[in-house]
Amino acid sequence: MSTPYSPDEPLDATDEAVLADLGRVALLADPVPADLVERSLFAMTLAALETEVMTLERMPEAAGVRAAETAPTQARTITFTSTSRTVMITVAPGVDGVRIDGWIAPTGEVGIELHRPHGEVLTTRTDEDGRFAFDAVAPGPASLVARPDDGPAVSTPVIEL
């Protein structure tokens, strides 16, 4: 005769074995992404910047510029908007990573930061027309922060380059 099990009883060795087996099955069926901790810490670091977060508006894929006698490359155009700024970037494959060409409105000189995991920050400034670029950026998660001299900073959500 078997003993009835009750949820009111404390866990025993059989319960722990069943839970361990269930954990192994869950790990095989839906493993934790290897970079989950890195991405979480990166997102928290960006949140700590206390900037207004822009809204992502992704544009359709567009064919890129042809290099000499090669097939076209794919470029992604992404627009971010907030109440104070609009940033449009084009991300295209380059020789040593990706190239980011961007424009910010309203125009004028603005400090632009490209935040990467592990605290890496690349910086540049826009020209008087609001244009900026980052060349040879490694693929992976990134967020842009615009720091105008005359107003609050704004940041984009994290995107995959």
Side-chain angles (χ1 to χ4, degrees):
M1 180 161 135
S2 67
T3 341
Y5 294 103
S6 168
D8 297 327
E9 296 294 318
L11 293 179
D12 62 13
T14 303
D15 295 326
E16 290 176 5
V18 168
L19 288 173
D21 287 343
L22 182 60
R24 283 190 288 279
V25 168
L27 190 58
L28 288 172
D30 187 18
V32 175
D35 62 348
L36 179 65
V37 171
E38 176 183 310
R39 287 177 181 264
S40 298
L41 291 172
F42 180 49
M44 288 186 283
T45 299
L46 291 173
L49 293 174
E50 296 183 18
T51 61
E52 177 185 359
V53 177
M54 305 177 96
T55 304
L56 172 66
E57 295 180 21
R58 185 154 185 214
M59 305 301 285
E61 299 290 324
V65 178
R66 283 186 188 256
E69 300 180 33
T70 63
T73 59
Q74 288 295 314
R76 293 183 298 155
T77 300
I78 307 168
T79 302
F80 305 95
T81 59
S82 72
T83 56
S84 61
R85 300 275 174 192
T86 298
V87 174
M88 183 180 78
I89 62 170
T90 299
V91 180
V95 177
D96 296 322
V98 296
R99 177 174 171 86
I100 301 169
D101 287 289
W103 300 266
I104 190 166
T107 59
E109 292 189 26
V110 174
I112 303 291
E113 302 169 354
L114 180 67
H115 288 257
R116 305 300 309 271
H118 306 296
E120 177 187 4
V121 180
L122 305 174
T123 61
T124 190
R125 288 193 66 80
T126 63
D127 63 17
E128 61 276 354
D129 295 323
R131 185 183 181 292
F132 63 93
F134 293 99
D135 201 13
V137 177
S143 177
L144 290 166
V145 175
R147 295 193 182 277
D149 296 335
D150 61 351
V154 294
S155 69
T156 68
V158 176
I159 60 169
E160 189 73 23
L161 299 177

